[in-house]
Amino acid sequence: MEGAGENAPESSSSAPGSEESARDPQVPPPEEESGVCARSLEAVPKKLCGYLSKFGGKGPIRGWKSRWFFYDERKCQLYYSRTAQDANPLDSIDLSSAVFDCKADAEEGIFEIKTPSRVITLKAATKQVMLYWLQQLQMKRWEFHNSPPAPPATPDAALAGNGPVLHLELGQEEAELEEFLCPVKTPPGLVGVAAALQPFPALQNISLKHLGTEIQNTMHNIRGNKQAQGTGHEPPGEDSAQSGEPQREEQPSASDASTPGREPEDSPKPAPKPSLTISFAQKAKRQNNTFPFFSEGITRNRTAQEKVAALEQQVLMLTKELKSQKELVKILHKALEAAQQEKRASSAYLAAAEDKDRLELVRHKVRQIAELGRRVEALEQERESLAHTASLREQQVQELQQHVQLLMDKNHAKQQVICKLSEKVTQDFTHPPDQSPLRPDAANRDFLSQEGKIEHLKDDMEAYRTQNCFLNSEIHQVTKIWRKVAEKEKALLTKCAYLQARNCQVESKYLAGLRRLQEALGDEASECSELLRQLVQEALQWEAGEASSDSIELSPISKYDEYGFLTVPDYEVEDLKLLAKIQALESRSHHLLGLEAVDRPLRERWAALGDLVPSAELKQLLRAGVPREHRPRVWRWLVHLRVQHLHTPGCYQELLSRGQAREHPAARQIELDLNRTFPNNKHFTCPTSSFPDKLRRVLLAFSWQNPTIGYCQGLNRLAAIALLVLEEEESAFWCLVAIVETIMPADYYCNTLTASQVDQRVLQDLLSEKLPRLMAHLGQHHVDLSLVTFNWFLVVFADSLISNILLRVWDAFLYEGTKVVFRYALAIFKYNEKEILRLQNGLEIYQYLRFFTKTISNSRKLMNIAFNDMNPFRMKQLRQLRMVHRERLEAELRELEQLKAEYLERRASRRRAVSEGCASEDEVEGEA
């Protein structure tokens, strides 16, 4: 680098005087020309290039061929050609995803570059050259993976901004690699620019696989040689006149003077013989067009890097100095504060008008002195305790040092014993005591063969040690690169999820816009309405996976969700189809947007939870929702918590055997309801699915378990949800038992459905309390909400909410009970309150209430309304409301029973009167 800096001014000063140098009759001898060329080569910064042998070919021509390899830092590609003077490379090796390997049992200098697509076997001239290439390739790969993603417009500014960070990272990586394998010195003349001066490989090294490229390179070299010869035979004056102008145009800066081929311009050459420097300059100029290892900006970049290193050292020194200055300022600031306090105290003492005030100030100072004395005593005690602790630590250190010394003595003694035994073994090996001494020549041959074997073993040990060190460094660096790639992949997946969510939002807005246009146009027959219907059909049928030929699935909407429910229900009405797809897109959008921010931390909390124990933390986690992979385990624990006093081993199998012995009266109704269970779920509609048979057995077992209920419509959907999550029949059976017999009130599923009717009245009161405006609106249009909400409570929203939200409701419901059902019922009306208030017709309200739960897509918003906006919501208030309405309902039922009894009595008396009248007429007819 110093030579480059010194040559630069000379070159720049000699450029304007090219004509004077052309007229100078002095011509340097060939030895001086070669020296100038060598100095020019040394001035070029070191680049990773050189000749290596590549193993390739097919059949009888398979073997080693010499190739010129050159590394491109911009693309992390290792190019190779037949010679260093070739214009076009034969091929390249992608090092960004490659790993390097060297085998100790292979021939010296052989190593491998393994990429995902192929394995390239190379051979260096010596072992040192091989290790140098491997270390440099490792560093180049690490530098590429830690470089900025896109080069800036101004290289100097980028180097100044990103240089220190990159330099520190590379320095740290070099230090880490040195722990495994010591850095290898650059082999002189075998790598770098100097290796280009080696003799060209023979013609038999030509590549038949890349014959076209070889022909192009050969023609390019022949054309360049002809141009060099023509330039060499011209007169000196014409040479200067013709070449001076292009050289001035191509000269970008003073640093280019160090490039080979510039200096010979300044002096004329004899006409009969072209100089070596000119021909080499022509070759270098041709190579500049393809391989930039003679790049004109290399010296400038290297100088800039040295400046950056110097600036880094200055920054570190200034940082240390700034830190010391800050500490000094802090000390002076504290001293100034103490002086100011003393000044204020003195001023107050002098300003006191009476002796009493001065006495009070003196007492205050005395108290402060006493307080400071106590602090000094406390600090002194703390210092003594620390000194005692330090003395104990010193004693421990001394004991450890004595122990270490003892171990070292033992080790030294063992080493002496080993040395003595080794000497004895060597003597016994060379002169066995039991055998007669061999002849001198045979003994010498045996000794020399043993020495040769030992030397070979030492070489093998050294080779394996080198291989082990290199492979350790390779594993270390590949692991770090893999971690960085994993982080980048994670960031890209997050970005992809966000873009998919935005795509879903845009598509849902597009579909909503089509729906509003369709409602605005109505049934008008026009070209616009026809075009709108066509767009709606295309929107309903279009799938991104069919439109794309790539392997990446662009559409985030699948036909079924993870539990088998249709994401877009197949409605017969086109308007409902459009609405269902809008809802599916919005649901998927909310899911993707919350994937990183909410779902991933939630999964981590569940994974770290361990054993399940009832607690406030578990309650909050269940309200937020259980991840799919943890839900079966959590539900089994919740069910066991509910039915542990009812559960007996073998109970389920006994109930099944009882059902096989004789048919239950409810078996026919169960069979009818099986085909009506979740028609939008593939597990219950597929003919080959085993879920219908499992559901039949669970319902029959429950009908034998609870004869007072037997079977009630709605139990099939409760058991089906349990089967979809738990998958095991017995677990689903006990889940149904837990819901019916422990969570819900006792007569919730009886013939009269008394408790269900009570809950509907309680819900009306809670709606009037929490949402008075909505209830007033519904009362104005005479809307009876129990027609909609009765089924919500009976099957715990199984038919109403989409599966993603439904199962989150069940997560909290199985732990907290029926209070969760009330919370979510209120939250659903709050979620859609604005839409309902916008409707001004009773029929429209009923139509909207029929499917409005399916429009809820934001599960986090609904959960926040249920558990935050609906507070306070106390179980004591719920019990009181249930008690009041139960008494009223029972009174109404008794009154109905009384009216029914009176009606039956009146009807019976009328029948008796009619029968008596008929009997008297028969008697009269008989007498007649």
Side-chain angles (χ1 to χ4, degrees):
M1 295 305 297
E2 293 177 0
E6 293 172 0
N7 294 336
E10 296 175 3
S11 304
S12 60
S13 62
S14 62
S18 58
E19 295 180 358
E20 296 178 3
S21 62
R23 290 192 295 270
D24 192 355
Q26 296 178 0
V27 179
E31 292 80 2
E32 293 182 3
E33 292 176 359
S34 62
V36 169
C37 183
R39 286 194 301 272
S40 302
L41 288 175
E42 290 176 359
V44 178
K46 293 179 181 179
K47 304 292 287 185
L48 185 58
C49 53
Y51 280 105
L52 293 172
S53 297
K54 179 179 177 294
F55 189 77
K58 293 183 180 179
I61 62 173
R62 186 172 177 83
W64 296 99
K65 293 184 179 181
S66 180
R67 295 286 181 261
W68 172 260
F69 284 85
F70 172 77
Y71 176 73
D72 186 359
E73 297 181 353
R74 295 171 299 176
K75 300 180 181 179
C76 196
Q77 297 275 345
L78 188 65
Y79 292 95
Y80 61 90
S81 59
R82 189 166 60 90
T83 67
Q85 287 72 31
D86 288 347
N88 299 315
L90 298 177
D91 202 352
S92 64
I93 305 170
D94 184 12
L95 300 182
S96 61
S97 57
V99 294
F100 313 113
D101 187 17
C102 65
K103 292 181 171 56
D105 53 354
E107 187 179 346
E108 182 180 1
I110 293 178
F111 63 98
E112 293 179 348
I113 300 177
K114 299 179 180 180
T115 66
S117 58
R118 56 176 176 161
V119 178
I120 301 94
T121 305
L122 304 175
K123 182 168 70 173
T126 62
K127 180 181 177 182
Q128 182 186 5
V129 176
M130 177 194 73
L131 292 176
Y132 176 81
W133 272 95
L134 287 172
Q135 282 193 342
Q136 291 298 317
L137 290 175
Q138 278 186 333
M139 293 306 302
K140 298 297 183 183
R141 181 184 59 189
W142 179 255
E143 182 179 354
F144 175 78
H145 281 286
N146 284 274
S147 60
T154 56
D156 295 337
L159 187 63
N162 298 325
V165 179
L166 185 60
H167 180 73
L168 290 174
E169 289 182 355
L170 292 177
Q172 182 181 2
E173 180 62 19
E174 288 177 358
E176 290 179 356
L177 292 180
E178 286 178 8
E179 296 177 1
F180 300 100
L181 190 65
C182 296
V184 181
K185 295 182 179 179
T186 305
L190 296 178
V191 294
V193 178
L197 298 177
Q198 292 182 358
F200 296 164
L203 189 60
Q204 59 265 24
N205 281 330
I206 193 170
S207 175
L208 299 178
K209 182 179 178 182
H210 309 90
L211 193 58
T213 307
E214 289 280 10
I215 293 172
Q216 291 178 5
N217 292 333
T218 304
M219 297 301 296
H220 191 277
N221 291 335
I222 292 172
R223 192 182 303 114
N225 290 332
K226 286 183 179 180
Q227 291 177 359
Q229 291 175 3
T231 306
H233 286 286
E234 287 178 1
E238 294 179 2
D239 178 47
S240 300
Q242 291 177 0
S243 63
E245 192 64 28
Q247 292 295 337
R248 282 194 296 270
E249 292 177 1
E250 293 178 2
Q251 183 177 7
S253 64
S255 62
D256 294 339
S258 61
T259 308
R262 297 296 189 198
E263 195 170 324
E265 246 181 48
D266 302 334
S267 57
K269 301 295 178 290
K273 181 180 179 182
S275 69
L276 174 64
T277 312
I278 290 181
S279 63
F280 191 81
Q282 294 291 336
K283 293 176 181 179
K285 185 176 178 181
R286 289 198 306 273
Q287 286 180 344
N288 260 342
N289 298 331
T290 53
F291 297 113
F293 80 93
F294 286 118
S295 175
E296 298 176 350
I298 289 177
T299 307
R300 181 176 68 252
N301 293 338
R302 180 59 60 90
T303 307
Q305 290 179 1
E306 290 179 353
K307 290 180 179 178
V308 168
L311 289 174
E312 285 179 10
Q313 294 179 358
Q314 291 181 6
V315 167
L316 292 176
M317 293 174 60
L318 291 174
T319 304
K320 292 180 180 179
E321 185 177 355
L322 179 62
K323 187 176 180 181
S324 62
Q325 293 292 338
K326 285 183 178 179
E327 292 178 355
L328 180 60
V329 167
K330 288 181 180 178
I331 295 172
L332 293 175
H333 185 65
K334 290 180 179 179
L336 181 61
E337 286 183 352
Q340 288 178 351
Q341 289 179 359
E342 186 67 26
K343 181 180 178 182
R344 284 195 295 269
S346 301
S347 300
Y349 181 79
L350 294 174
E354 298 179 358
D355 294 339
K356 183 179 180 182
D357 297 335
R358 293 184 179 181
L359 183 60
E360 184 62 30
L361 289 173
V362 170
R363 288 175 180 173
H364 179 66
K365 284 294 180 181
V366 169
R367 286 195 295 270
Q368 286 184 346
I369 291 170
E371 180 65 24
L372 290 174
R374 285 193 295 271
R375 289 185 183 179
V376 168
E377 290 177 358
L379 291 174
E380 186 66 24
Q381 292 176 359
E382 184 179 358
R383 186 188 66 80
E384 291 176 356
S385 64
L386 290 175
H388 181 66
T389 306
S391 62
L392 293 176
R393 292 290 172 85
E394 287 180 357
Q395 292 176 2
Q396 292 177 0
V397 170
Q398 291 176 359
E399 292 175 358
L400 290 174
Q401 288 178 351
Q402 293 175 359
H403 185 64
V404 169
Q405 186 64 33
L406 180 62
L407 292 176
M408 291 176 66
D409 294 339
K410 287 183 179 179
N411 189 21
H412 183 66
K414 289 180 180 179
Q415 286 180 355
Q416 290 179 352
V417 172
I418 290 171
C419 291
K420 291 180 180 179
L421 291 175
S422 300
E423 293 176 358
K424 185 178 180 181
V425 168
T426 306
Q427 292 176 0
D428 294 342
F429 186 76
T430 54
H431 301 288
D434 298 337
Q435 297 180 1
S436 59
L438 298 174
R439 290 177 301 177
D441 55 348
N444 290 335
R445 285 197 301 270
D446 194 15
F447 179 73
L448 291 175
S449 65
Q450 294 297 331
E451 280 189 343
K453 289 181 181 179
I454 290 172
E455 291 297 328
H456 284 303
L457 289 175
K458 288 182 178 178
D459 292 341
D460 292 342
M461 287 176 60
E462 181 65 22
Y464 280 114
R465 188 188 68 80
T466 305
Q467 179 191 12
N468 185 38
C469 293
F470 170 74
L471 291 179
N472 286 336
S473 67
E474 180 70 7
I475 291 170
H476 171 73
Q477 192 181 81
V478 169
T479 303
K480 294 181 70 175
I481 292 174
W482 176 80
R483 287 174 181 170
K484 285 185 173 292
V485 170
E487 292 175 359
K488 292 180 181 178
E489 183 182 5
K490 181 180 177 182
L492 289 175
L493 287 176
T494 304
K495 185 177 180 181
C496 182
Y498 174 75
L499 293 176
Q500 283 186 343
R502 298 295 300 172
N503 180 50
C504 290
Q505 290 178 351
V506 171
E507 190 176 351
S508 68
K509 289 178 181 178
Y510 169 70
L511 295 176
L514 289 180
R515 182 169 176 266
R516 290 180 181 177
L517 285 173
Q518 194 176 27
E519 291 176 353
L521 289 176
D523 298 331
E524 296 179 5
S526 63
E527 294 182 0
C528 293
S529 60
E530 183 63 28
L531 177 62
L532 187 60
R533 279 194 293 271
Q534 185 179 356
L535 289 174
V536 170
Q537 288 294 333
E538 290 177 358
L540 290 174
Q541 296 174 3
W542 181 80
E543 292 292 339
E546 299 175 0
S548 174
S549 60
D550 299 334
S551 60
I552 300 175
E553 185 182 357
L554 295 178
S555 176
I557 302 297
S558 58
K559 188 175 182 182
Y560 296 97
D561 64 6
E562 52 192 5
Y563 288 99
F565 288 96
L566 278 171
T567 54
V568 182
D570 191 13
Y571 293 116
E572 295 181 0
V573 182
E574 185 177 289
D575 191 24
L576 292 179
K577 284 184 180 179
L578 192 60
L579 188 65
K581 184 151 189 182
I582 293 172
Q583 183 270 337
L585 288 167
E586 290 181 352
S587 177
R588 183 64 176 173
S589 170
H590 290 300
H591 171 70
L592 290 171
L593 288 174
L595 192 62
E596 289 295 325
V598 180
D599 292 349
R600 192 178 298 277
L602 185 63
R603 283 191 174 91
E604 293 175 357
R605 289 182 65 188
W606 275 106
L609 190 60
D611 295 335
L612 299 175
V613 178
S615 62
E617 181 186 5
L618 179 63
K619 182 178 180 180
Q620 295 300 322
L621 286 174
L622 289 170
R623 287 181 173 185
V626 184
R628 186 179 188 275
E629 60 269 21
H630 299 286
R631 185 167 279 137
R633 176 179 67 93
V634 174
W635 279 28
R636 289 190 186 95
W637 180 81
L638 292 171
V639 170
H640 177 73
L641 202 65
R642 294 280 184 178
V643 298
Q644 54 186 346
H645 62 287
L646 301 173
H647 188 277
T648 54
C651 177
Y652 179 69
Q653 299 298 330
E654 181 183 349
L655 294 172
L656 288 180
S657 59
R658 190 187 305 177
Q660 293 175 356
R662 59 193 181 96
E663 185 178 358
H664 194 277
R668 186 170 177 273
Q669 185 62 42
I670 291 173
E671 200 66 32
L672 291 175
D673 286 349
L674 283 178
N675 297 325
R676 293 182 289 202
T677 303
F678 294 139
N680 60 339
N681 190 292
K682 64 179 181 180
H683 295 301
F684 294 99
T685 55
C686 180
T688 59
S689 176
S690 61
F691 275 83
D693 294 332
K694 291 181 181 179
L695 181 60
R696 179 189 297 108
R697 290 191 289 270
V698 169
L699 294 175
L700 286 173
F702 180 80
S703 62
W704 288 108
Q705 160 75 15
N706 194 331
T708 58
I709 296 176
Y711 175 74
C712 174
Q713 287 186 346
L715 297 181
N716 58 327
R717 281 161 284 185
L718 296 176
I721 293 293
L723 271 174
L724 288 173
V725 175
L726 300 172
E727 295 183 356
E728 298 176 0
E729 291 181 34
E730 187 170 358
S731 299
F733 165 76
W734 288 112
C735 182
L736 183 61
V737 171
I739 293 172
V740 176
E741 298 187 9
T742 64
I743 298 178
M744 292 296 192
D747 49 356
Y748 216 84
Y749 298 96
C750 65
N751 294 331
T752 58
L753 300 174
T754 305
S756 301
Q757 296 182 53
V758 169
D759 279 354
Q760 295 307 306
R761 300 188 180 192
V762 172
L763 179 63
Q764 298 280 342
D765 288 355
L766 292 174
L767 282 169
S768 300
E769 176 187 347
K770 305 288 184 182
L771 303 171
R773 186 181 172 195
L774 177 65
M775 286 303 294
H777 180 72
L778 295 175
Q780 181 182 356
H781 295 284
H782 307 288
V783 176
D784 185 6
L785 287 180
S786 61
L787 299 176
V788 178
T789 59
F790 189 84
N791 194 51
W792 294 1
F793 284 72
L794 200 65
V795 297
V796 195
F797 302 104
D799 288 332
S800 306
L801 298 172
I802 60 175
S803 60
N804 181 34
I805 302 175
L806 171 66
L807 295 174
R808 295 193 180 196
V809 174
W810 276 55
D811 293 336
F813 165 72
L814 291 175
Y815 185 72
E816 299 184 49
T818 54
K819 185 171 68 171
V820 173
V821 183
F822 283 98
R823 282 185 176 275
Y824 271 99
L826 295 171
I828 288 171
F829 283 107
K830 179 66 176 177
Y831 190 98
N832 297 276
E833 183 179 13
K834 293 181 180 178
E835 295 293 332
I836 298 174
L837 292 174
R838 210 176 278 125
L839 302 174
Q840 300 298 327
N841 183 279
L843 182 59
E844 291 180 355
I845 293 175
Y846 274 117
Q847 290 178 348
Y848 180 73
L849 294 178
R850 190 166 54 113
F851 64 85
F852 81 118
T853 53
K854 296 290 185 180
T855 63
I856 299 174
S857 57
N858 193 341
S859 59
R860 282 176 290 278
K861 178 181 176 182
L862 185 67
M863 181 198 70
N864 186 56
I865 295 173
F867 294 106
N868 293 327
D869 295 354
M870 293 297 110
N871 287 334
F873 195 92
R874 299 178 179 85
M875 195 62 190
K876 181 179 180 182
Q877 179 189 7
L878 185 60
R879 292 195 191 97
Q880 291 175 352
L881 289 173
R882 276 179 166 172
M883 188 181 302
V884 171
H885 286 289
R886 189 179 188 88
E887 292 175 357
R888 292 177 183 174
L889 181 61
E890 288 177 351
E892 292 175 3
L893 290 176
R894 285 194 298 270
E895 185 178 352
L896 286 174
E897 288 293 333
Q898 185 178 357
L899 292 174
K900 182 179 178 182
E902 292 175 357
Y903 169 73
L904 291 175
E905 185 178 354
R906 286 196 303 270
R907 191 174 68 172
S909 61
R910 289 175 185 171
R911 286 182 178 178
R912 285 195 299 271
V914 171
S915 61
E916 289 176 358
C918 292
S920 60
E921 290 178 359
D922 292 339
E923 291 176 359
V924 172
E925 291 177 357
E927 291 176 357

